[in-house]
């Protein structure tokens, strides 16, 4: 067996970096998912508020669409290659109006 001084330390560092990257990808998915949930709630409140203007509802719907887009992109960057939009819709109550704008 060939000995390679320092290889164990290098592997530990590589493993630590990979772990940190994986944790950050997971945290980013969580943050963007939270943003999508907040945007959906805000849109629902404005949708149900008879005093809200069409412009306010439209802006809130645009926020939902943007958060949805960000989550799809983050999932793809994290290695999820399946039907991300379908999978997101299984977990979040994304309004059809935002899907049509997507």
């Amino acid at each position: 067996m060939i000995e390679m001084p320092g290889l164990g330390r290098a592997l530990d560092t590589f493993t630590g970096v990979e772990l940190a990257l994986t944790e950050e990808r997971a945290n980013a998915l969580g943050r963007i998912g939270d943003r999508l949930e907040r945007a959906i709630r805000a849109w629902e409140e404005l949708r149900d508020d008879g005093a809200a203007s069409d412009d306010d509802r439209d802006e809130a719907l645009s926020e939902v669409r943007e958060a949805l887009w960000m989550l799809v992109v983050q999932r793809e960057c994290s290695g999820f290659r399946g039907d991300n939009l379908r999978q997101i819709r299984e977990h979040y109550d994304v309004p059809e109006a935002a899907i049509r704008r997507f």
Side-chain angles (χ1 to χ4, degrees):
M1 180 167 132
I2 301 173
E3 289 194 30
M4 299 180 75
L7 181 60
R9 192 171 351 114
L11 289 175
D12 288 344
T13 300
F14 178 74
T15 302
V17 169
E18 285 295 309
L19 179 60
L21 289 171
T22 300
E23 288 175 354
E24 180 51 34
R25 282 191 293 267
N27 288 334
L29 283 168
R31 287 189 304 271
I32 296 169
D34 290 345
R35 179 179 172 174
L36 177 59
E37 287 178 337
R38 286 190 307 272
I40 291 169
R41 279 195 307 271
W43 177 79
E44 288 173 341
E45 289 174 9
L46 286 172
R47 177 198 62 195
D48 298 338
D49 181 359
S53 71
D54 288 341
D55 287 343
D56 288 340
R57 284 190 288 273
D58 190 55
E59 184 176 328
L61 193 58
S62 291
E63 289 291 323
V64 172
R65 189 214 48 83
E66 182 177 327
L68 175 61
W69 176 80
M70 291 174 68
L71 185 54
V72 167
V73 169
Q74 183 63 40
R75 284 179 56 86
E76 289 176 1
C77 290
S78 296
F80 294 99
R81 300 286 186 229
D83 186 357
N84 284 308
L85 185 58
R86 180 187 56 78
Q87 292 176 359
I88 291 168
R89 292 182 74 191
E90 288 176 1
H91 296 283
Y92 299 92
D93 191 20
V94 180
E96 285 298 319
I99 300 296
R100 286 191 299 270
R101 290 182 177 198
F102 193 73

